mmCIF file of all heavy atoms in Angstrom:
data_model
loop_
_atom_site.group_PDB
_atom_site.id
_atom_site.type_symbol
_atom_site.label_atom_id
_atom_site.label_comp_id
_atom_site.label_asym_id
_atom_site.label_seq_id
_atom_site.Cartn_x
_atom_site.Cartn_y
_atom_site.Cartn_z
ATOM 1 N N LYS D 1 -205.625 114.598 -54.789
ATOM 2 C CA LYS D 1 -206.408 115.742 -54.326
ATOM 3 C C LYS D 1 -206.030 117.013 -55.100
ATOM 4 O O LYS D 1 -206.904 117.819 -55.459
ATOM 5 C CB LYS D 1 -206.200 115.951 -52.829
ATOM 6 C CG LYS D 1 -206.673 114.770 -51.982
ATOM 7 C CD LYS D 1 -206.285 114.936 -50.518
ATOM 8 C CE LYS D 1 -206.656 113.705 -49.721
ATOM 9 N NZ LYS D 1 -206.211 113.793 -48.305
ATOM 10 N N LEU D 2 -204.737 117.180 -55.345
ATOM 11 C CA LEU D 2 -204.293 118.332 -56.129
ATOM 12 C C LEU D 2 -204.856 118.278 -57.545
ATOM 13 O O LEU D 2 -205.202 119.309 -58.130
ATOM 14 C CB LEU D 2 -202.767 118.387 -56.177
ATOM 15 C CG LEU D 2 -202.039 118.744 -54.882
ATOM 16 C CD1 LEU D 2 -200.528 118.588 -55.064
ATOM 17 C CD2 LEU D 2 -202.381 120.163 -54.444
ATOM 18 N N ALA D 3 -204.941 117.067 -58.103
ATOM 19 C CA ALA D 3 -205.472 116.918 -59.456
ATOM 20 C C ALA D 3 -206.942 117.299 -59.524
ATOM 21 O O ALA D 3 -207.403 117.879 -60.516
ATOM 22 C CB ALA D 3 -205.279 115.482 -59.939
ATOM 23 N N VAL D 4 -207.704 116.970 -58.494
ATOM 24 C CA VAL D 4 -209.118 117.350 -58.446
ATOM 25 C C VAL D 4 -209.243 118.870 -58.475
ATOM 26 O O VAL D 4 -210.041 119.434 -59.234
ATOM 27 C CB VAL D 4 -209.795 116.754 -57.195
ATOM 28 C CG1 VAL D 4 -211.175 117.371 -56.977
ATOM 29 C CG2 VAL D 4 -209.917 115.243 -57.332
ATOM 30 N N LYS D 5 -208.456 119.537 -57.651
ATOM 31 C CA LYS D 5 -208.478 121.005 -57.626
ATOM 32 C C LYS D 5 -208.009 121.564 -58.972
ATOM 33 O O LYS D 5 -208.585 122.536 -59.493
ATOM 34 C CB LYS D 5 -207.565 121.504 -56.498
ATOM 35 C CG LYS D 5 -207.449 123.018 -56.396
ATOM 36 C CD LYS D 5 -208.778 123.677 -56.039
ATOM 37 C CE LYS D 5 -208.619 125.119 -55.560
ATOM 38 N NZ LYS D 5 -207.910 125.990 -56.504
ATOM 39 N N TRP D 6 -206.984 120.970 -59.530
ATOM 40 C CA TRP D 6 -206.486 121.394 -60.854
ATOM 41 C C TRP D 6 -207.601 121.305 -61.895
ATOM 42 O O TRP D 6 -207.784 122.226 -62.703
ATOM 43 C CB TRP D 6 -205.301 120.523 -61.266
ATOM 44 C CG TRP D 6 -204.844 120.752 -62.671
ATOM 45 C CD1 TRP D 6 -203.886 121.629 -63.099
ATOM 46 C CD2 TRP D 6 -205.338 120.107 -63.853
ATOM 47 N NE1 TRP D 6 -203.763 121.568 -64.465
ATOM 48 C CE2 TRP D 6 -204.639 120.643 -64.955
ATOM 49 C CE3 TRP D 6 -206.308 119.126 -64.086
ATOM 50 C CZ2 TRP D 6 -204.872 120.227 -66.273
ATOM 51 C CZ3 TRP D 6 -206.546 118.718 -65.392
ATOM 52 C CH2 TRP D 6 -205.839 119.260 -66.455
ATOM 53 N N ALA D 7 -208.329 120.179 -61.909
ATOM 54 C CA ALA D 7 -209.372 119.967 -62.903
ATOM 55 C C ALA D 7 -210.511 120.974 -62.736
ATOM 56 O O ALA D 7 -211.021 121.523 -63.724
ATOM 57 C CB ALA D 7 -209.906 118.539 -62.806
ATOM 58 N N GLN D 8 -210.916 121.223 -61.499
ATOM 59 C CA GLN D 8 -211.941 122.245 -61.260
ATOM 60 C C GLN D 8 -211.498 123.602 -61.813
ATOM 61 O O GLN D 8 -212.258 124.280 -62.522
ATOM 62 C CB GLN D 8 -212.205 122.396 -59.761
ATOM 63 C CG GLN D 8 -212.984 121.291 -59.112
ATOM 64 C CD GLN D 8 -213.171 121.564 -57.629
ATOM 65 O OE1 GLN D 8 -212.247 121.413 -56.835
ATOM 66 N NE2 GLN D 8 -214.359 121.988 -57.255
ATOM 67 N N ASP D 9 -210.278 123.991 -61.473
ATOM 68 C CA ASP D 9 -209.769 125.287 -61.919
ATOM 69 C C ASP D 9 -209.672 125.351 -63.438
ATOM 70 O O ASP D 9 -209.984 126.379 -64.050
ATOM 71 C CB ASP D 9 -208.399 125.558 -61.302
ATOM 72 C CG ASP D 9 -208.456 125.798 -59.805
ATOM 73 O OD1 ASP D 9 -209.570 126.038 -59.287
ATOM 74 O OD2 ASP D 9 -207.393 125.728 -59.154
ATOM 75 N N LYS D 10 -209.263 124.249 -64.047
ATOM 76 C CA LYS D 10 -209.105 124.246 -65.510
ATOM 77 C C LYS D 10 -210.460 124.343 -66.202
ATOM 78 O O LYS D 10 -210.611 125.088 -67.187
ATOM 79 C CB LYS D 10 -208.360 122.982 -65.947
ATOM 80 C CG LYS D 10 -207.876 123.006 -67.388
ATOM 81 C CD LYS D 10 -206.843 124.096 -67.616
ATOM 82 C CE LYS D 10 -205.544 123.832 -66.879
ATOM 83 N NZ LYS D 10 -204.512 124.853 -67.206
ATOM 84 N N PHE D 11 -211.432 123.599 -65.716
ATOM 85 C CA PHE D 11 -212.781 123.708 -66.273
ATOM 86 C C PHE D 11 -213.287 125.148 -66.173
ATOM 87 O O PHE D 11 -213.846 125.692 -67.144
ATOM 88 C CB PHE D 11 -213.750 122.792 -65.522
ATOM 89 C CG PHE D 11 -213.795 121.365 -66.001
ATOM 90 C CD1 PHE D 11 -213.709 120.309 -65.097
ATOM 91 C CD2 PHE D 11 -213.962 121.062 -67.341
ATOM 92 C CE1 PHE D 11 -213.777 118.993 -65.524
ATOM 93 C CE2 PHE D 11 -214.025 119.751 -67.792
ATOM 94 C CZ PHE D 11 -213.933 118.713 -66.876
ATOM 95 N N ASN D 12 -213.108 125.749 -65.032
ATOM 96 C CA ASN D 12 -213.573 127.133 -64.844
ATOM 97 C C ASN D 12 -212.815 128.099 -65.743
ATOM 98 O O ASN D 12 -213.412 129.012 -66.327
ATOM 99 C CB ASN D 12 -213.426 127.537 -63.375
ATOM 100 C CG ASN D 12 -214.511 126.930 -62.491
ATOM 101 O OD1 ASN D 12 -215.684 126.894 -62.865
ATOM 102 N ND2 ASN D 12 -214.130 126.448 -61.321
ATOM 103 N N HIS D 13 -211.531 127.890 -65.868
ATOM 104 C CA HIS D 13 -210.721 128.762 -66.729
ATOM 105 C C HIS D 13 -211.162 128.659 -68.189
ATOM 106 O O HIS D 13 -211.141 129.662 -68.927
ATOM 107 C CB HIS D 13 -209.246 128.390 -66.600
ATOM 108 C CG HIS D 13 -208.340 129.177 -67.497
ATOM 109 N ND1 HIS D 13 -208.020 130.502 -67.270
ATOM 110 C CD2 HIS D 13 -207.691 128.834 -68.653
ATOM 111 C CE1 HIS D 13 -207.217 130.941 -68.226
ATOM 112 N NE2 HIS D 13 -207.013 129.945 -69.075
ATOM 113 N N LEU D 14 -211.576 127.471 -68.599
ATOM 114 C CA LEU D 14 -212.022 127.255 -69.978
ATOM 115 C C LEU D 14 -213.448 127.754 -70.215
ATOM 116 O O LEU D 14 -213.931 127.724 -71.340
ATOM 117 C CB LEU D 14 -211.932 125.769 -70.337
ATOM 118 C CG LEU D 14 -210.511 125.189 -70.417
ATOM 119 C CD1 LEU D 14 -210.553 123.672 -70.546
ATOM 120 C CD2 LEU D 14 -209.735 125.799 -71.583
ATOM 121 N N GLY D 15 -214.113 128.189 -69.161
ATOM 122 C CA GLY D 15 -215.428 128.798 -69.322
ATOM 123 C C GLY D 15 -216.597 127.859 -69.318
ATOM 124 O O GLY D 15 -217.691 128.213 -69.800
ATOM 125 N N PHE D 16 -216.441 126.660 -68.777
ATOM 126 C CA PHE D 16 -217.571 125.728 -68.707
ATOM 127 C C PHE D 16 -218.702 126.351 -67.883
ATOM 128 O O PHE D 16 -218.460 127.058 -66.903
ATOM 129 C CB PHE D 16 -217.129 124.399 -68.096
ATOM 130 C CG PHE D 16 -216.431 123.478 -69.058
ATOM 131 C CD1 PHE D 16 -215.153 123.765 -69.531
ATOM 132 C CD2 PHE D 16 -217.057 122.325 -69.515
ATOM 133 C CE1 PHE D 16 -214.508 122.913 -70.419
ATOM 134 C CE2 PHE D 16 -216.423 121.465 -70.410
ATOM 135 C CZ PHE D 16 -215.144 121.764 -70.869
ATOM 136 N N ASP D 17 -219.943 126.075 -68.279
ATOM 137 C CA ASP D 17 -221.101 126.650 -67.597
ATOM 138 C C ASP D 17 -221.270 126.102 -66.188
ATOM 139 O O ASP D 17 -221.647 126.839 -65.270
ATOM 140 C CB ASP D 17 -222.382 126.363 -68.394
ATOM 141 C CG ASP D 17 -222.377 127.002 -69.764
ATOM 142 O OD1 ASP D 17 -221.843 128.118 -69.882
ATOM 143 O OD2 ASP D 17 -222.887 126.384 -70.709
ATOM 144 N N LYS D 18 -221.037 124.815 -66.028
ATOM 145 C CA LYS D 18 -221.200 124.158 -64.729
ATOM 146 C C LYS D 18 -219.960 123.304 -64.454
ATOM 147 O O LYS D 18 -219.481 122.595 -65.347
ATOM 148 C CB LYS D 18 -222.439 123.258 -64.726
ATOM 149 C CG LYS D 18 -223.768 123.977 -64.867
ATOM 150 C CD LYS D 18 -224.909 122.987 -65.090
ATOM 151 C CE LYS D 18 -225.068 122.002 -63.964
ATOM 152 N NZ LYS D 18 -226.182 121.044 -64.205
ATOM 153 N N VAL D 19 -219.475 123.379 -63.235
ATOM 154 C CA VAL D 19 -218.346 122.559 -62.801
ATOM 155 C C VAL D 19 -218.691 122.010 -61.423
ATOM 156 O O VAL D 19 -219.049 122.775 -60.531
ATOM 157 C CB VAL D 19 -217.035 123.378 -62.741
ATOM 158 C CG1 VAL D 19 -215.880 122.493 -62.283
ATOM 159 C CG2 VAL D 19 -216.727 124.021 -64.090
ATOM 160 N N TRP D 20 -218.596 120.701 -61.247
ATOM 161 C CA TRP D 20 -218.953 120.141 -59.947
ATOM 162 C C TRP D 20 -218.210 118.837 -59.675
ATOM 163 O O TRP D 20 -217.611 118.236 -60.577
ATOM 164 C CB TRP D 20 -220.452 119.953 -59.826
ATOM 165 C CG TRP D 20 -221.105 118.867 -60.628
ATOM 166 C CD1 TRP D 20 -221.449 117.627 -60.177
ATOM 167 C CD2 TRP D 20 -221.535 118.913 -62.004
ATOM 168 N NE1 TRP D 20 -222.070 116.896 -61.179
ATOM 169 C CE2 TRP D 20 -222.137 117.673 -62.304
ATOM 170 C CE3 TRP D 20 -221.465 119.892 -62.999
ATOM 171 C CZ2 TRP D 20 -222.660 117.371 -63.559
ATOM 172 C CZ3 TRP D 20 -221.988 119.609 -64.257
ATOM 173 C CH2 TRP D 20 -222.577 118.361 -64.529
ATOM 174 N N LEU D 21 -218.249 118.442 -58.409
ATOM 175 C CA LEU D 21 -217.617 117.214 -57.944
ATOM 176 C C LEU D 21 -218.674 116.216 -57.509
ATOM 177 O O LEU D 21 -219.711 116.595 -56.977
ATOM 178 C CB LEU D 21 -216.696 117.486 -56.749
ATOM 179 C CG LEU D 21 -215.588 118.522 -56.911
ATOM 180 C CD1 LEU D 21 -214.803 118.647 -55.605
ATOM 181 C CD2 LEU D 21 -214.671 118.159 -58.059
ATOM 182 N N GLU D 22 -218.392 114.940 -57.748
ATOM 183 C CA GLU D 22 -219.238 113.866 -57.238
ATOM 184 C C GLU D 22 -218.357 112.843 -56.543
ATOM 185 O O GLU D 22 -217.318 112.442 -57.087
ATOM 186 C CB GLU D 22 -220.031 113.214 -58.369
ATOM 187 C CG GLU D 22 -221.049 114.152 -59.007
ATOM 188 C CD GLU D 22 -221.896 113.506 -60.082
ATOM 189 O OE1 GLU D 22 -221.678 112.310 -60.390
ATOM 190 O OE2 GLU D 22 -222.791 114.187 -60.609
ATOM 191 N N PRO D 23 -218.721 112.406 -55.337
ATOM 192 C CA PRO D 23 -217.849 111.530 -54.549
ATOM 193 C C PRO D 23 -217.655 110.160 -55.181
ATOM 194 O O PRO D 23 -218.542 109.619 -55.848
ATOM 195 C CB PRO D 23 -218.568 111.429 -53.202
ATOM 196 C CG PRO D 23 -219.987 111.758 -53.492
ATOM 197 C CD PRO D 23 -219.974 112.743 -54.626
ATOM 198 N N ALA D 24 -216.478 109.615 -54.944
ATOM 199 C CA ALA D 24 -216.146 108.261 -55.396
ATOM 200 C C ALA D 24 -215.341 107.580 -54.293
ATOM 201 O O ALA D 24 -214.476 108.199 -53.665
ATOM 202 C CB ALA D 24 -215.339 108.314 -56.690
ATOM 203 N N ASN D 25 -215.624 106.328 -54.053
ATOM 204 C CA ASN D 25 -214.902 105.549 -53.041
ATOM 205 C C ASN D 25 -214.174 104.387 -53.699
ATOM 206 O O ASN D 25 -214.622 103.844 -54.724
ATOM 207 C CB ASN D 25 -215.878 105.030 -51.983
ATOM 208 C CG ASN D 25 -216.538 106.150 -51.212
ATOM 209 O OD1 ASN D 25 -215.876 107.014 -50.666
ATOM 210 N ND2 ASN D 25 -217.872 106.148 -51.187
ATOM 211 N N PHE D 26 -213.059 103.996 -53.105
ATOM 212 C CA PHE D 26 -212.214 102.971 -53.722
ATOM 213 C C PHE D 26 -211.309 102.347 -52.660
ATOM 214 O O PHE D 26 -211.083 102.927 -51.588
ATOM 215 C CB PHE D 26 -211.356 103.591 -54.832
ATOM 216 C CG PHE D 26 -210.702 104.891 -54.439
ATOM 217 C CD1 PHE D 26 -209.542 104.915 -53.688
ATOM 218 C CD2 PHE D 26 -211.280 106.100 -54.807
ATOM 219 C CE1 PHE D 26 -208.956 106.112 -53.312
ATOM 220 C CE2 PHE D 26 -210.698 107.307 -54.439
ATOM 221 C CZ PHE D 26 -209.527 107.305 -53.679
ATOM 222 N N PRO D 27 -210.765 101.166 -52.922
ATOM 223 C CA PRO D 27 -209.807 100.558 -51.991
ATOM 224 C C PRO D 27 -208.493 101.333 -52.027
ATOM 225 O O PRO D 27 -207.948 101.596 -53.090
ATOM 226 C CB PRO D 27 -209.643 99.135 -52.526
ATOM 227 C CG PRO D 27 -210.024 99.218 -53.965
ATOM 228 C CD PRO D 27 -211.068 100.282 -54.064
ATOM 229 N N ASP D 28 -207.984 101.705 -50.863
ATOM 230 C CA ASP D 28 -206.817 102.586 -50.762
ATOM 231 C C ASP D 28 -205.576 101.755 -50.458
ATOM 232 O O ASP D 28 -205.461 101.161 -49.382
ATOM 233 C CB ASP D 28 -207.071 103.609 -49.642
ATOM 234 C CG ASP D 28 -206.211 104.850 -49.800
ATOM 235 O OD1 ASP D 28 -205.381 104.888 -50.717
ATOM 236 O OD2 ASP D 28 -206.371 105.768 -48.984
ATOM 237 N N TRP D 29 -204.652 101.736 -51.412
ATOM 238 C CA TRP D 29 -203.421 100.929 -51.279
ATOM 239 C C TRP D 29 -202.228 101.826 -51.567
ATOM 240 O O TRP D 29 -202.313 102.724 -52.400
ATOM 241 C CB TRP D 29 -203.484 99.769 -52.269
ATOM 242 C CG TRP D 29 -202.239 98.929 -52.363
ATOM 243 C CD1 TRP D 29 -201.908 97.864 -51.573
ATOM 244 C CD2 TRP D 29 -201.173 99.054 -53.320
ATOM 245 N NE1 TRP D 29 -200.703 97.330 -51.971
ATOM 246 C CE2 TRP D 29 -200.234 98.043 -53.042
ATOM 247 C CE3 TRP D 29 -200.919 99.931 -54.383
ATOM 248 C CZ2 TRP D 29 -199.056 97.875 -53.792
ATOM 249 C CZ3 TRP D 29 -199.756 99.771 -55.126
ATOM 250 C CH2 TRP D 29 -198.841 98.756 -54.839
ATOM 251 N N ARG D 30 -201.128 101.592 -50.881
ATOM 252 C CA ARG D 30 -199.927 102.390 -51.101
ATOM 253 C C ARG D 30 -198.713 101.500 -51.374
ATOM 254 O O ARG D 30 -198.492 100.506 -50.687
ATOM 255 C CB ARG D 30 -199.602 103.258 -49.884
ATOM 256 C CG ARG D 30 -200.550 104.391 -49.630
ATOM 257 C CD ARG D 30 -200.438 105.508 -50.670
ATOM 258 N NE ARG D 30 -201.309 106.595 -50.270
ATOM 259 C CZ ARG D 30 -202.610 106.629 -50.454
ATOM 260 N NH1 ARG D 30 -203.206 105.597 -51.050
ATOM 261 N NH2 ARG D 30 -203.336 107.655 -50.063
ATOM 262 N N ARG D 31 -197.931 101.925 -52.336
ATOM 263 C CA ARG D 31 -196.621 101.340 -52.610
ATOM 264 C C ARG D 31 -195.578 102.220 -51.903
ATOM 265 O O ARG D 31 -195.519 103.434 -52.119
ATOM 266 C CB ARG D 31 -196.379 101.360 -54.115
ATOM 267 C CG ARG D 31 -195.023 100.851 -54.573
ATOM 268 C CD ARG D 31 -194.653 101.398 -55.967
ATOM 269 N NE ARG D 31 -195.787 101.479 -56.869
ATOM 270 C CZ ARG D 31 -196.226 100.476 -57.633
ATOM 271 N NH1 ARG D 31 -195.606 99.319 -57.596
ATOM 272 N NH2 ARG D 31 -197.267 100.637 -58.423
#
């Protein structure tokens, strides 16, 4: 989740015209 926020902020900082999120689902496993 932090990486998603990081990527949004980085795209915006670099001046991209459009920045957006699209949902993704996956099997959730933990070690």
Side-chain angles (χ1 to χ4, degrees):
K1 298 173 185 176
L2 290 173
V4 168
K5 178 64 164 56
W6 172 91
Q8 286 180 285
D9 291 345
K10 192 64 67 175
F11 275 131
N12 284 318
H13 177 74
L14 293 170
F16 280 70
D17 297 324
K18 294 170 60 180
V19 180
W20 71 99
L21 304 179
E22 294 183 358
N25 297 307
F26 46 81
D28 202 356
W29 174 86
R30 290 290 185 280
R31 177 202 322 274

